Amino acid sequence: MLAVKTNESYFSLEKTYSRNYKTTMNGDFNEPDSQCRYRYLINYENHNEQVKYQIVFSSKSSDLVQNWLNYHSKSNGIENHPEAVEVEKNFEESILMNCLDLKDKVQSPSFFGTNVLHYSEDRNKYTPDIQIDEFQEYKQQKLVYLKKGAPSYYDNSVKISDYKQFIEWDPTKSIIKMIKLTIKQGQRYSGSTKIVFELNYYNDTIQFFSSINKKEAPKWSEIIYSVITDEKIAEKSVEMIKLKIRNS
């Protein structure tokens, strides 16, 4: 798999996979279909400031690493290039710019996760057909923010997305949010989002922003356990959700 590494940045094609989904015609299900997808990883780490960003995303395009690099170079790579140092600098700046730009966007409740990366400061040069799967921010080697798309066994597959909800986790504030993507079967473009619940595992508070659907409780528990890497926090969060449902 192709990868580009500089002193502070890393961009690689991680794997190829298929997104399986059901097609629809007049509201009826037809035979399952699939599309080939490519999963990418972006890392940026400033060792002096002890800041690190990580982005995982998917796309139908298999050549984004090469295209991104070519944008900053007249050749097909930085090796033996007469301006290799300048190419590396521009490449790193481009990666950092995307991390900072995405950092602002992902914290919005309306963030849908599609088509938000770009090659340069020219915001028209977006990468085609991408979906953010995960964004992480670290400070002094500690996770301070996470937003991750969370697929579930309980969800029907759809063409537009690998998942139907985000988990947002802010360890600095002890807050976990579940955000639902409004996706209809056969939908082709990004839509709206809404917060399902917000909990604070330090203050033992939890708030649902719509009527509680008790049938979705197993899915919420599954997703919390799959995303929250701290086992104690995950267990406490699930218990808070279960208690809230029992008392509703």
Side-chain angles (χ1 to χ4, degrees):
M1 295 294 184
L2 180 62
V4 176
K5 183 178 182 180
T6 68
N7 184 48
E8 295 184 343
S9 65
Y10 179 79
F11 188 7
S12 69
L13 171 60
E14 295 289 289
K15 71 173 185 177
T16 305
Y17 70 101
S18 293
R19 174 186 288 171
N20 300 312
Y21 58 92
K22 291 184 178 180
T23 59
T24 58
M25 184 66 68
N26 298 324
D28 298 324
F29 284 109
N30 292 326
E31 292 298 316
D33 203 348
S34 66
Q35 60 178 235
C36 185
R37 304 285 295 181
Y38 300 89
R39 180 151 288 142
Y40 293 87
L41 171 67
I42 288 178
N43 275 331
Y44 178 87
E45 185 169 6
N46 187 312
H47 300 282
N48 293 329
E49 297 180 8
Q50 293 188 306
V51 174
K52 178 182 177 181
Y53 302 102
Q54 178 173 290
I55 302 170
V56 178
F57 70 94
S58 66
S59 173
K60 287 193 297 185
S61 301
S62 62
D63 54 1
L64 296 186
V65 177
Q66 189 67 62
N67 288 346
W68 201 306
L69 182 60
N70 288 347
Y71 181 82
H72 296 289
S73 172
K74 295 179 181 179
S75 69
N76 290 327
I78 62 175
E79 292 184 353
N80 301 320
H81 192 279
E83 298 177 355
V85 174
E86 187 66 24
V87 171
E88 179 175 327
K89 177 183 177 182
N90 291 341
F91 189 85
E92 285 185 348
E93 289 177 350
S94 175
I95 294 297
L96 175 59
M97 177 183 62
N98 275 277
C99 291
L100 296 177
D101 194 43
L102 188 58
K103 176 183 175 180
D104 290 335
K105 291 178 178 177
V106 296
Q107 297 186 52
S108 169
S110 63
F111 178 75
F112 202 85
T114 55
N115 299 326
V116 288
L117 301 181
H118 39 79
Y119 294 152
S120 73
E121 292 183 358
D122 183 350
R123 293 305 197 263
N124 292 322
K125 294 183 175 4
Y126 282 88
T127 55
D129 178 56
I130 67 103
Q131 180 181 35
I132 302 299
D133 296 321
E134 185 173 355
F135 176 84
Q136 297 185 49
E137 179 184 4
Y138 292 82
K139 291 183 179 178
Q140 297 181 337
Q141 299 183 337
K142 292 184 178 180
L143 178 69
V144 297
Y145 183 83
L146 166 69
K147 195 161 192 176
K148 184 174 182 178
S152 170
Y153 167 82
Y154 298 91
D155 289 333
N156 293 325
S157 59
V158 291
K159 182 177 183 178
I160 192 176
S161 178
D162 282 334
Y163 50 82
K164 289 187 175 181
Q165 50 273 314
F166 278 113
I167 287 291
E168 185 178 54
W169 181 22
D170 186 339
T172 66
K173 299 178 181 178
S174 305
I175 290 176
I176 296 173
K177 297 178 185 178
M178 178 173 287
I179 301 168
K180 182 178 180 180
L181 306 183
T182 303
I183 301 175
K184 298 179 181 179
Q185 200 71 35
Q187 183 173 325
R188 298 178 61 188
Y189 304 103
S190 60
S192 59
T193 65
K194 63 179 181 180
I195 301 176
V196 179
F197 62 76
E198 176 179 325
L199 64 84
N200 186 311
Y201 50 83
Y202 180 79
N203 294 331
D204 293 329
T205 57
I206 181 170
Q207 179 181 5
F208 279 79
F209 291 86
S210 59
S211 59
I212 298 175
N213 186 344
K214 295 183 179 182
K215 293 182 179 180
E216 292 198 323
K219 180 174 78 171
W220 298 334
S221 298
E222 174 209 6
I223 290 173
I224 291 291
Y225 281 126
S226 68
V227 175
I228 305 303
T229 53
D230 187 304
E231 185 176 340
K232 291 183 178 179
I233 292 175
E235 289 180 353
K236 181 173 183 180
S237 300
V238 168
E239 288 304 313
M240 289 175 63
I241 294 170
K242 290 180 177 179
L243 180 61
K244 181 69 173 182
I245 292 173
R246 284 198 299 268
N247 295 333
S248 63

